[in-house]
Amino acid sequence: MPGDSKIHHCLYFLRATQTDKQESLNMFTFNLPTTWIHGIGAIQKIPGLLQELHCTSPLIVTDRRLIDLEGFSRITRDLADSHMGYEIFGGATKEPTVTGFTEAAAKLDLKKYDAIIAVGGGSVIDTAKGLRVIARFGGVITDYAGFGKIPRPTGIPLIAVPTTSGTGSEVSDGAVFTDEAKKTKFAVGGLYNFPTIAVTDPAMTVSMPPFVTAVSGIDALVHAVESYISKHASTVTELFALEAIRRIGSTIETAFRNGSDIEAREQMQLGATLAMVSTVNAKLGFCHAIAMPLCALYGLPHGQVCGVVLPGVLEYNADVVPKKVEKIARILGMVSQDETYTASLFRQRLQELIDEKLGLKVRLMEHGYTEADNEAIVKGTLGSFQSQNNPRTISPEGIINITESIV
Ligand SMILES: [Fe+2]
């Protein structure tokens, strides 16, 4: 019947309008200015890389707890064998503060060094990024708060060697600092803040304890997922994000339970860096937006908060990007091809992984939450720059619902 084809056409049109709107149709710029070297034993390339860059006096920035690790000794031994006049700054702390960072920068004679090697987690790499800026342009770190405040390339190569698989700071332009006076966090970002070279060596991550593995691994998964569904996702970022989701999803439990499983560590490291390559270009969303006030109010780790809100945030976004959320569920293997998918089934299974299997469950009441905090949580979430990238407009009710899911 002629009418039939019309109906089919209408149905097709309806279905077409129900697909995820931003799927790969937007104009995009893709930026990856950091050279990425990956593999077990990749740290052995560091002296050669410095020689190529014509550097002979690197400053190694690290957390002093890492200095005794085999991987760290290997780096310094190789530098000594190559006649590099390196020095070590072991005072990089977790979540660097403006005061702590300023004191550290003042103690160092930054003009002495022609390169910086950061060996550590995201906080160490962020500290190294900050020191590079101060070494070249002076001033205090707050002068560079925001995006694009670094005027020119620093001319000081930064080699970033992550020891956790999470923040992706080794390939990102961001460096996060805490302003204790204002009780806020701020980021220094922009084209001239990317590390010059990221050296991801899975052997450097085997010493991570299970909780850190879970928290940093879930943070990386959230980077991949949020950048995949972001309003700014592109054909290229989606490739990186989906690959990151697949690798992290298939190995996070193994890495958590058996930290010495080098294959799982390698997949997690690849996943974390791939996730940030996507994130740098496509940005983050609701999880990271709500994590800003929740971490500030209750002092909880960033990755843990991002993780425990992820199931609810995905269900919230499933109304707007249903196909993408279903794809994430299928790639994670949480809803098999034979099963009927629903957003709530996915939410339930993802929550089981994060809360129970990885032991990251949060009950805000235990950290001092009261209903009166909702106002600050809503304000902080909507005020976060990440909230603008979320595919579904973030409503105050949505924020309260997510908060109440972890009360
Ligand atoms: Fe994060």
Side-chain angles (χ1 to χ4, degrees), residues 15-165:
R15 268 202 305 273
T17 55
Q18 281 167 0
T19 57
D20 305 352
K21 283 191 194 101
Q22 78 274 33
E23 217 164 7
S24 311
L25 296 172
N26 49 349
M27 184 189 279
F28 68 83
T29 301
F30 182 78
N31 217 347
L32 180 53
T34 302
T35 299
W36 180 11
I37 298 174
H38 172 86
I40 295 167
I43 52 166
Q44 294 165 43
K45 290 185 179 283
I46 293 172
L49 292 168
L50 288 168
Q51 277 157 3
E52 267 182 59
L53 293 162
H54 305 288
C55 297
T56 53
S57 315
L59 172 69
I60 306 177
V61 177
T62 193
D63 170 335
R64 62 175 54 85
R65 288 170 303 179
L66 298 171
I67 292 175
D68 296 329
L69 295 182
E70 166 56 27
F72 192 90
S73 316
R74 177 69 206 239
I75 292 172
T76 51
R77 212 164 49 233
D78 287 350
L79 289 174
D81 290 348
S82 307
H83 310 291
M84 294 278 173
Y86 71 87
E87 282 184 25
I88 299 170
F89 169 65
T93 55
K94 223 172 113 200
E95 322 241 334
T97 60
V98 171
T99 314
F101 175 84
T102 308
E103 281 171 14
K107 274 186 211 150
L108 290 163
D109 183 4
L110 290 168
K111 295 275 173 263
K112 275 166 65 181
Y113 313 107
D114 55 12
I116 297 179
I117 305 169
V119 183
S123 298
V124 168
I125 299 173
D126 286 3
T127 300
K129 286 175 180 172
L131 288 173
R132 179 171 67 159
V133 172
I134 302 298
R136 174 66 181 86
F137 300 113
V140 288
I141 196 65
T142 43
D143 296 343
Y144 306 95
F147 187 83
K149 299 280 172 59
I150 304 167
R152 290 180 301 285
T154 61
I156 304 167
L158 169 60
I159 299 178
V161 185
T163 57
T164 61
S165 303

Side-chain angles (χ1 to χ4, degrees), residues 219 223 284 288 302 306:
D219 187 27
H223 295 159
L284 296 164
H288 278 74
H302 165 84
C306 287

